[in-house]
């Protein structure tokens, strides 16, 4: 059974600092997604990672995937207040079925 | 391009009543998902359609929840009868299909259900 664990679940950081969110999953997967959710809003797609060693960057966020370790990271560089949100990783099972979401990391960036 | 549409946006019902949610996916998206998101948790997949066929409904409480996708486009999710623990946001998402796998999912605004 596919399980997805994120850590930390809560992160409070100062503006300008760097930090990494981790996403571990339990079985072979076709692809991994990162989403952002603002309070009271729906989910917004950030990254889709398709293969081992994949790295994608958008602004201050960079995501990577290690399929052998079954680990993805979301790295935040020089955080700004606008990045405050909940970040979810989601793992798609083989064959394109049953996407499982992690519990989310609630990020708060203090000015 | 228009996004995923959902209605209603909010619904308050009493326990044991029934409720239905509607979703219109992005045009051309073959795969449609219904998720339940309880406050403070990640979305939980309830059912996944590919065109108008069900490909996964293993986490759908079938004694009270039902869903259909007529003609492979719009979908409805129904709860009958509702329980207090069904209070959550119900998210609909859609994605394109490439081969056996789907692309990233695009989420609708959600329906916030409160059961009293």
């Amino acid at each position: 059974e596919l399980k997805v664990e994120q850590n930390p679940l809560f992160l409070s950081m100062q503006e300008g600092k760097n930090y990494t969110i981790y996403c571990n999953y339990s079985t072979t997967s076709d692809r991994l997604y990162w989403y952002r959710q603002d309070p009271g809003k729906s989910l917004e797609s950030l990254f889709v990672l398709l293969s081992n060693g994949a790295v994608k960057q958008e602004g201050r966020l960079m995501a990577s995937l290690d399929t052998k370790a079954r680990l993805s990271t979301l790295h935040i560089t020089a955080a700004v207040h606008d990045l405050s949100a909940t970040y979810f990783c989601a793992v798609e099972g083989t064959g394109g079925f049953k996407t499982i979401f992690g519990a989310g990391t609630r990020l708060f960036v203090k000015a | 391009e228009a996004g995923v549409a959902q209605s209603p946006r909010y619904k308050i019902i009493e326990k044991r009543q029934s409720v239905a949610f509607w979703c219109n996916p992005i045009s051309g998206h073959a795969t449609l998902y219904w998720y339940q998101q309880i406050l403070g948790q990640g979305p939980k997949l309830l059912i996944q359609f590919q065109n108008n066929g069900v490909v996964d409904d293993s986490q759908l409480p079938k004694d009270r929840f039902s869903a259909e996708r007529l003609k492979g486009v719009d979908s409805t999710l129904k709860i009958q009868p509702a329980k207090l623990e069904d209070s959550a946001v119900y998210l609909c998402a859609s994605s394109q299909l490439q081969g056996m796998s789907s692309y990233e999912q695009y989420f609708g605004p959600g329906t916030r259900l409160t059961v009293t």
Side-chain angles (χ1 to χ4, degrees):
Chain A
E1 182 186 346
L2 177 58
K3 294 187 177 179
V4 180
E5 289 187 357
Q6 277 184 247
N7 70 82
L9 297 182
F10 182 79
L11 177 57
S12 179
M13 56 192 298
Q14 296 280 356
E15 277 194 330
K17 298 293 186 182
N18 304 332
Y19 208 82
T20 301
I21 299 170
Y22 298 88
C23 175
N24 291 274
Y25 55 98
S26 60
T27 65
T28 304
S29 166
D30 277 356
R31 57 189 68 194
L32 188 142
Y33 306 88
W34 284 97
Y35 290 91
R36 169 181 171 146
Q37 187 175 38
D38 291 291
K41 305 285 187 179
S42 193
L43 282 81
E44 173 193 352
S45 177
L46 295 174
F47 301 108
V48 181
L49 302 171
L50 301 178
S51 60
N52 189 42
V55 176
K56 291 197 174 179
Q57 183 163 6
E58 180 74 34
R60 300 173 187 274
L61 300 177
M62 183 174 72
S64 66
L65 178 62
D66 180 345
T67 57
K68 294 179 182 176
R70 295 178 184 162
L71 170 69
S72 179
T73 61
L74 180 66
H75 187 71
I76 304 157
T77 302
V80 293
H81 181 68
D82 285 352
L83 290 179
S84 297
T86 298
Y87 293 85
F88 292 98
C89 67
V91 180
E92 187 176 286
T94 53
F97 304 137
K98 200 165 185 175
T99 303
I100 303 294
F101 278 76
T105 297
R106 287 149 190 79
L107 171 66
F108 179 65
V109 181
K110 295 181 282 189
Chain B
E1 110 189 314
V4 177
Q6 288 187 249
S7 68
R9 293 294 311 278
Y10 305 92
K11 191 74 177 178
I12 300 173
I13 61 172
E14 294 182 353
K15 59 183 179 184
R16 292 187 290 273
Q17 287 187 322
S18 62
V19 65
F21 312 128
W22 173 82
C23 173
N24 181 241
I26 292 173
S27 177
H29 280 193
T31 310
L32 185 147
Y33 312 79
W34 283 102
Y35 290 91
Q36 179 193 59
Q37 187 176 24
I38 293 171
L39 187 63
Q41 299 182 17
K44 171 186 157 186
L45 179 67
L46 294 176
I47 189 166
Q48 177 178 342
F49 292 95
Q50 206 147 290
N51 297 307
N52 59 349
V54 175
V55 295
D56 189 286
D57 63 356
S58 57
Q59 298 189 103
L60 185 75
K62 298 180 186 67
D63 57 334
R64 297 184 302 107
F65 286 63
S66 64
E68 61 181 4
R69 188 180 185 196
L70 298 175
K71 301 180 182 178
V73 182
D74 292 7
S75 178
T76 56
L77 175 70
K78 296 179 182 177
I79 307 174
Q80 181 179 12
K83 293 185 175 181
L84 295 177
E85 58 260 36
D86 297 333
S87 294
V89 175
Y90 290 84
L91 295 164
C92 178
S94 70
S95 66
Q96 294 178 318
L97 192 63
Q98 184 187 48
M100 285 296 292
S101 292
S102 299
Y103 274 127
E104 66 195 290
Q105 297 174 31
Y106 293 85
F107 283 81
T111 296
R112 184 175 299 275
L113 174 67
T114 302
V115 182
T116 63

